[in-house]
Amino acid sequence: MTDHVLALNAGSSSLKFALYELVEDNRPSMRWRGQIERLGDAPRLLAQSAGGRSINEPLTDTKTHDEAIRAFLKMARENLPDIHVRAIGHRVVHGGTVFSEPVRIDDSVLDTLNGFIPFAPLHQPYSLAGIRAASAAFPGTTQVACFDTAFHRTHPWVNDTFALPQSFYEKGVRRYGFHGLSYDYISQKLQDIAPGLYEGRVVIAHLGNGASMCAVSGGRAVASTMGFSALDGLPMGTRSGQLDPGVVLYMMQQDGMTAEEIADTLYRKSGLLGLSGISSDMRTLLAADTPDARKAIDYYVFRIRRELGALSAALEGIDALVFTGGIGENSAAIRQMVCDGMRWIGIEMDKSRNADGGTILSTDLSRVRILAIPTNEEMIIARAAARLG
């Protein structure tokens, strides 16, 4: 039997997984990764091994996270009969002000995480459902929580608060920031490949269906575009991004919208989808070449530039810009549009390097280094599980 760790990311209708063998020095080495999507509707198992083998098959009677875990177990036993899962790491969206690093899960931790549901009502319940399902399927196995908010707990107070009565801050109404597992991975990767940049002032742009940016100095978070919720900052696939709170009051008072209707609009009907009226997928919008698609792209790029300037100010300068996430890693067009508007800050993109999709995208004379680095949140989870398991 060989020791493995499992990284799980439970969403409302999906369960993403990555299975790692522990090799020398407890280093995780990926063996299988994939997801069970469309839980409760038309569930399907998609998985790929490190050796290139693929699985793409429908699942019957898989409606809950418990059933999804059992479907994963069945696949693992059929393809990896020699494994022993030593620990399971979970992506947990919200760790509040309590958790600034991964933690072993017990009843006390679960009770605390339940208390954060009001801070992330559309995300936290599914994180907890994944934990409970894994605990039932793997009794006695160490469960580890890894928090999207933890990386941002080093923010100075001015980047942690809102200008509200102090009682709200004391109740937990703060700028938490999210995508912390991604930022943690990119920071560690920079420490390996460019230690000089790691020690400097770096802005990381995590651009995907969910999007945010983070200012990092010496590997520590200084500021984030996301705040109290995962709605703030950049426009996203279907989320609004930064919004005057007066707009929410208008929705309530003038349009008579309920809290549920407002949440549905801001989380599921806004962003690139709302602006374009076409799609939440940047690839579709870039190919569409319609006026509304162009407006959505222009707004998206403008907000990235605006936040890039603001985060550079928070750092008192910038030494490197790192693109990551699905759009950041794969869309040369968006990277080029962002950087073309930031020459004044010392950012000079090499168009041929950008088109080729390498790691270094800046010109040799650019004062600010530009990089594209694929993120790997599952690896951060696996490392924590290996360490605490």
Side-chain angles (χ1 to χ4, degrees), residues 4-9 15-19 69 72-73 84-91 103-105 130-131 133-146 381-382 384-386 388-389:
H4 286 63
V5 293
L6 176 62
L8 293 180
N9 180 357
L15 180 75
K16 297 179 182 178
F17 58 84
L19 185 66
I69 289 283
F72 162 79
L73 268 175
H84 168 253
V85 177
R86 195 173 82 185
I88 302 173
H90 300 265
R91 175 184 177 239
V103 62
R104 294 185 185 90
I105 299 169
I131 291 171
S135 298
F138 295 87
T141 301
T142 300
Q143 311 283 331
V144 177
C146 303
I381 297 171
L388 297 177

Side-chain angles (χ1 to χ4, degrees), residues 29-201:
S29 177
M30 198 275 288
R31 294 191 71 181
W32 280 88
R33 70 185 306 166
Q35 65 178 322
I36 297 170
E37 61 181 19
R38 302 182 68 178
L39 284 176
D41 178 19
R44 180 168 288 272
L45 170 64
L46 306 171
Q48 186 168 24
S49 74
R53 185 184 172 198
S54 295
I55 296 175
N56 184 341
E57 60 186 37
L59 300 172
T60 58
D61 300 324
T62 304
K63 298 180 180 180
T64 67
H65 291 89
D66 295 86
E67 291 164 344
I69 289 283
R70 286 198 287 272
F72 162 79
L73 268 175
K74 181 175 181 292
M75 183 216 78
R77 286 168 180 155
E78 289 174 351
N79 292 277
L80 298 164
D82 62 329
I83 69 168
H84 168 253
V85 177
R86 195 173 82 185
I88 302 173
H90 300 265
R91 175 184 177 239
V92 179
V93 169
H94 218 296
T97 61
V98 178
F99 300 109
S100 58
E101 58 186 17
V103 62
R104 294 185 185 90
I105 299 169
D106 57 21
D107 289 343
S108 175
V109 169
L110 270 178
D111 287 343
T112 302
L113 296 181
N114 267 305
F116 299 146
I117 288 177
F119 296 151
L122 300 184
H123 296 89
Q124 194 79 349
Y126 304 110
S127 299
L128 300 180
I131 291 171
R132 294 189 180 100
S135 298
F138 295 87
T141 301
T142 300
Q143 311 283 331
V144 177
C146 303
F147 305 98
D148 252 350
T149 52
F151 187 74
H152 302 285
R153 298 319 309 140
T154 56
H155 286 181
W157 181 81
V158 291
N159 286 331
D160 197 44
T161 192
F162 298 100
L164 293 170
Q166 186 69 17
S167 59
F168 285 94
Y169 185 82
E170 292 166 356
K171 287 188 291 186
V173 179
R174 308 181 183 192
R175 296 184 188 275
Y176 288 102
F178 297 89
H179 292 137
L181 298 174
S182 176
Y183 295 129
D184 193 359
Y185 178 82
I186 297 299
S187 294
Q188 291 186 30
K189 193 70 174 178
L190 272 182
Q191 191 172 25
D192 292 337
I193 67 175
L197 292 180
Y198 169 83
E199 294 295 339
R201 301 162 297 182

